[in-house]
Amino acid sequence: MKDKAGATPRTRLLHLGNRGKKSVTVNISRPEGQKLVRELAKISDVLIENYKFGDLARYGLAYGDLKTINPRLVYCSVTGFGQTGPYRERPRFTIS
């Protein structure tokens, strides 16, 4: 069901939940992208990522790397199978 503005309850919830937040898209495979992530990590409170286990470590952007830049950084890694266990390197993404 949509309201008069054409929004669904899910759309409204998404806008409400993300109000005031800022997001960026960065090509982390490029050195300038990696540099940008490090610069942002210096001034950020929270970093949320959803790469497969080990992907960010290849670029020097894992939690251990970024905590040296900003020890107070809250680093949230969202994975389909967690950081440990037999399936940790499998890709998984769910929109629900």
Side-chain angles (χ1 to χ4, degrees), residues 79-90:
T79 67
F81 297 101
Q83 298 293 312
T84 61
Y87 300 134
R88 72 182 185 181
E89 294 185 22
R90 291 185 179 182

Side-chain angles (χ1 to χ4, degrees), residues 52-88:
K52 287 186 326 213
F53 172 80
D55 279 359
L56 290 182
R58 287 188 294 162
Y59 303 108
L61 301 174
Y63 174 68
D65 303 307
L66 298 181
K67 78 175 184 176
T68 61
I69 295 170
N70 180 354
R72 296 181 325 234
L73 183 68
V74 175
Y75 189 104
C76 177
S77 179
V78 181
T79 67
F81 297 101
Q83 298 293 312
T84 61
Y87 300 134
R88 72 182 185 181

Side-chain angles (χ1 to χ4, degrees), residues 12-96:
R12 287 191 301 272
L13 182 60
L14 180 67
H15 288 290
L16 182 64
N18 290 309
R19 182 180 54 196
K21 294 179 185 174
K22 296 180 182 178
S23 299
V24 296
T25 301
V26 179
N27 185 346
I28 62 169
S29 69
R30 311 264 313 152
E32 55 270 19
Q34 296 161 21
K35 181 181 177 189
L36 178 59
V37 171
R38 289 184 189 96
E39 289 173 2
L40 289 169
K42 287 179 189 176
I43 60 170
S44 296
D45 298 316
V46 178
L47 181 139
I48 300 172
E49 59 92 355
N50 67 335
Y51 289 93
K52 287 186 326 213
F53 172 80
D55 279 359
L56 290 182
R58 287 188 294 162
Y59 303 108
L61 301 174
Y63 174 68
D65 303 307
L66 298 181
K67 78 175 184 176
T68 61
I69 295 170
N70 180 354
R72 296 181 325 234
L73 183 68
V74 175
Y75 189 104
C76 177
S77 179
V78 181
T79 67
F81 297 101
Q83 298 293 312
T84 61
Y87 300 134
R88 72 182 185 181
E89 294 185 22
R90 291 185 179 182
R92 173 80 175 162
F93 188 77
T94 302
I95 299 174
S96 53

